[in-house]
């Protein structure tokens, strides 16, 4: 009875705020949404007839994620489901970038824009799919998605689960309401013991919670064809990856000062959101720094703006040093695993709350350095002038990842056990 009233209250609040939410999304994502407007009907639960026909046969797992980062973190997991569980996969994603990337990489048999979390919208898809298993990723607790999947006969699980310290403190205030959400879960698979403690403290039954490790470590580990040993030491490359608002302004003068002792230095700037490229170009002009966009042709010049999405790994493949953004402003950091997987030494700032476990591992293993803005110039200068230090640091970064792989397989074992497969 209590859960029923909690869901009614939630749905009432969603209906009241939905016009404002949609307006905010349209204003924030207007350029990005234009790329996926043909999928807008999916967000209201209407799937093409050819898609609906696929659900009439086979065992389906419905996997739900939000952002491009989340989808990338479960790339191996999605590809292993058909192999290990003999199941077909429906993947629903929220952001336009995640949708485009998942479709391009063919990560699932069916990829759709995630439905708006209203009961009758979600119910339309859940009843069509009739999933054997519904899998939510990381910290996506969409009440109606979970509830309607359960009502359609699915087991409901969370994989790669996490609750950040900031979210944990907020969830404590609504712990009583969250109980209705936790009732939907049959299995909660989390990254580390700290996450397990937070889930159980918030009311999730301890028997449902299992620690498997972090699936993000299971990313493919490519080797660079342009290894550092063959690079001209007078022409080194620093990649500023996934930078956020305010960081370019702080980092640009530092990188320009490094050109005095290293005149051949090349810097690739790859912002987290490419719609900020014009803003960054204006900053460069104001500082009298010339730059060129990647899309304008062969990558030449000393300052390059990486103006494409989904191929940050290609930028890191050219790096001698990677600076991971979102960490020198209070944004919680961005994923440092991609450069580390390519044996690139990693540098990031103080704000790595969203990747704290990974950051701590890389620093402890000697594959990364965590510095402040006042320290980064000395850190980069030291690495630029010491080739052996760069190579040793990069090798340590890769070994740190290799030693922690396996979360995908451990999670699949638990999921198959849950559904009796």
């Amino acid at each position: 009875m209590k859960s029923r009233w909690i869901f009614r209250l939630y749905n009432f609040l969603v209906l009241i705020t939905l016009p404002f939410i949609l307006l905010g999304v349209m204003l924030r994502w207007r350029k990005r949404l234009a790329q996926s407007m043909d999928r807008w009907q999916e967000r209201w639960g209407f799937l093409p007839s050819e898609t609906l026909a696929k659900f009439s046969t086979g065992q389906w797992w419905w996997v739900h994620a939000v952002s491009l980062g989340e989808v990338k973190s479960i790339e191996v997991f999605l590809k292993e489901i058909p192999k290990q569980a003999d199941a077909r996969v429906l993947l629903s994603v929220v952001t336009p970038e995640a949708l485009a990337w998942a479709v391009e990489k063919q990560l699932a048999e069916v990829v759709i824009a995630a439905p708006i979390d209203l009961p009758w919208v979600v119910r339309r898809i859940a009843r069509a799919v009739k999933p054997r298993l519904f899998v939510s990723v990381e910290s996506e607790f969409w009440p109606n998605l979970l509830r309607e999947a359960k009502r359609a006969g699915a087991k409901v699980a969370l994989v790669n689960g996490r609750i950040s310290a900031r979210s944990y403190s907020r969830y404590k205030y609504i712990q009583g309401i969250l109980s209705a959400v936790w009732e939907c879960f049959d299995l909660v698979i989390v990254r580390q013991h700290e996450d397990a403690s937070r889930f159980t403290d918030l009311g999730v039954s301890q028997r449902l919670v299992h620690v498997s490790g972090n699936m993000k470590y299971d990313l493919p580990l490519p080797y660079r064809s342009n290894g550092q040993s063959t690079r001209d030491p007078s022409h080194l490359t620093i990649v500023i990856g996934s930078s956020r608002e305010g960081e370019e302004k702080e980092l640009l003068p530092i990188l320009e000062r490094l050109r005095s002792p290293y005149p051949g230095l090349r810097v690739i700037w790859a912002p987290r959101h490419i719609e900020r490229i014009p803003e960054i170009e204006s900053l460069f002009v104001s500082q009298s720094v010339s730059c060129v966009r990647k899309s304008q042709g062969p990558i030449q010049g000393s300052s390059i703006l990486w103006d494409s999405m989904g191929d940050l790994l290609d930028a890191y493949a050219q790096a001698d040093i990677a600076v991971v953004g979102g960490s020198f402003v209070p944004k919680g950091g961005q994923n440092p695993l991609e450069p580390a997987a390519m044996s690139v030494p990693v540098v990031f700032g103080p704000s790595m709350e969203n990747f704290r476990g990974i950051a701590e591992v890389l620093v402890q293993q000697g594959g990364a350095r965590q510095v402040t803005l006042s320290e980064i110039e000395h850190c980069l200068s030291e690495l630029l002038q010491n080739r052996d230090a760069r190579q040793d640091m990069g090798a340590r970064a890769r070994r740190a990842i290799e030693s922690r792989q396996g979360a995908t397989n451990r999670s699949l074992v638990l999921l198959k056990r849950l559904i009796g497969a």
Side-chain angles (χ1 to χ4, degrees):
M1 182 65 71
K2 178 184 176 183
S3 296
R4 184 185 306 167
W5 280 104
I6 289 173
F7 274 95
R8 286 179 178 176
L9 174 61
Y10 168 77
N11 290 325
F12 175 71
L13 293 174
V14 170
L15 281 172
I16 289 177
T17 58
L18 185 60
F20 303 100
I21 294 172
L22 292 177
L23 178 61
V25 168
M26 294 298 290
L27 290 174
R28 182 181 178 187
W29 287 357
R30 57 189 181 276
K31 295 181 180 179
R32 293 146 71 186
L33 281 174
Q35 304 168 5
S36 59
M37 281 304 295
D38 58 325
R39 300 293 194 117
W40 190 244
Q41 61 181 0
E42 294 177 356
R43 298 194 184 274
W44 294 97
F46 296 103
L47 304 182
S49 56
E50 58 269 24
T51 299
L52 291 172
K54 293 182 179 182
F55 300 132
S56 60
T57 59
Q59 176 191 148
W60 285 87
W61 288 18
W62 180 354
V63 181
H64 175 73
V66 170
S67 66
L68 179 58
E70 286 181 5
V71 175
K72 283 186 173 183
S73 74
I74 59 167
E75 178 180 357
V76 175
F77 172 70
L78 290 167
K79 292 180 177 179
E80 287 297 315
I81 292 172
K83 299 176 185 177
Q84 296 195 32
D86 192 27
R88 305 170 76 178
V89 181
L90 163 66
L91 172 65
S92 61
V93 296
V94 174
T95 67
E97 295 90 349
L99 181 62
W101 195 79
V103 170
E104 179 187 348
K105 297 294 183 180
Q106 299 181 325
L107 295 186
E109 186 171 345
V110 176
V111 180
I112 65 171
I116 294 171
D117 198 44
L118 289 169
W120 54 90
V121 174
V122 177
R123 190 179 304 135
R124 193 176 292 123
I125 296 179
R127 288 180 175 177
V129 180
K130 297 182 178 64
R132 181 80 179 278
L133 181 66
F134 179 87
V135 180
S136 194
V137 178
E138 294 196 10
S139 54
E140 300 310 318
F141 314 129
W142 297 85
N144 286 312
L145 267 174
L146 300 171
R147 191 186 196 198
E148 294 301 329
K150 188 103 172 163
R151 284 179 165 182
K155 294 290 186 180
V156 176
L158 180 73
V159 298
N160 221 34
R162 70 180 181 95
I163 295 180
S164 67
R166 181 181 300 177
S167 295
Y168 174 72
S169 62
R170 292 173 179 172
Y171 288 161
K172 290 291 286 185
Y173 290 108
I174 58 170
Q175 186 170 346
I177 297 176
L178 281 174
S179 61
V181 176
W182 303 146
E183 287 177 5
C184 296
F185 283 104
D186 299 292
L187 177 65
V188 176
I189 306 173
V190 300
R191 298 177 179 182
Q192 53 191 3
H193 291 285
E194 183 177 40
D195 294 304
S197 297
R198 287 173 179 166
F199 273 101
T200 54
D201 189 49
L202 288 170
V204 180
S205 173
Q206 192 167 358
R207 65 180 178 83
L208 301 182
V209 182
H210 297 261
V211 178
S212 69
N214 194 336
M215 285 185 185
K216 290 189 176 183
Y217 286 112
D218 290 338
L219 78 170
L221 298 180
Y223 285 93
R224 290 186 294 170
S225 59
N226 58 341
Q228 289 173 317
S229 60
T230 62
R231 302 287 295 277
D232 182 349
S234 65
H235 291 82
L236 300 175
T237 298
I238 296 176
V239 172
I240 313 296
S242 299
S243 59
R244 302 293 295 271
E245 297 86 345
E247 286 186 307
E248 296 89 2
K249 182 179 180 180
E250 297 290 344
L251 292 172
L252 181 58
I254 294 171
L255 271 299
E256 289 303 302
R257 285 198 295 271
L258 287 173
R259 295 194 190 282
S260 178
Y262 304 99
L265 179 65
R266 182 176 68 156
V267 182
I268 296 176
W269 299 83
R272 178 71 178 86
H273 300 119
I274 60 172
E275 61 266 27
R276 294 185 53 245
I277 289 289
E279 166 197 328
I280 298 171
E281 284 180 314
S282 297
L283 171 66
F284 278 46
V285 169
S286 70
Q287 299 295 317
S288 300
V289 177
S290 62
C291 63
V292 62
R293 292 192 182 199
K294 172 200 169 191
S295 61
Q296 292 176 344
I299 301 177
Q300 298 175 349
S302 56
S303 292
I304 297 153
L305 294 180
W306 202 263
D307 59 348
S308 57
M309 286 293 297
D311 59 351
L312 182 57
L313 200 62
D314 294 338
Y316 283 137
Q318 304 175 52
D320 295 281
I321 304 169
V323 177
V324 177
S327 60
F328 294 96
V329 289
K331 297 289 186 180
Q334 297 295 149
N335 190 356
L337 287 178
E338 286 186 330
M342 303 191 79
S343 303
V344 178
V346 182
V347 177
F348 43 73
S351 179
M352 286 294 287
E353 295 85 1
N354 293 339
F355 298 88
R356 189 175 72 176
I358 295 172
E360 289 176 350
V361 166
L362 288 174
V363 171
Q364 290 168 2
Q365 298 298 313
R369 297 185 186 180
Q370 188 166 27
V371 297
T372 64
L373 276 171
S374 63
E375 298 168 336
I376 190 172
E377 185 172 354
H378 175 75
C379 172
L380 293 177
S381 179
E382 184 180 299
L383 289 173
L384 286 170
Q385 67 183 320
N386 193 329
R387 177 176 175 271
D388 290 341
R390 292 196 308 272
Q391 289 190 324
D392 178 66
M393 194 171 163
R396 288 172 178 270
R398 185 180 175 101
R399 286 198 299 270
I401 295 176
E402 291 174 331
S403 66
R404 284 163 176 80
Q405 293 190 318
T408 295
N409 288 333
R410 288 188 287 270
S411 297
L412 281 167
V413 168
L414 291 166
L415 293 170
K416 289 190 293 182
R417 186 186 303 163
L418 173 66
I419 61 173

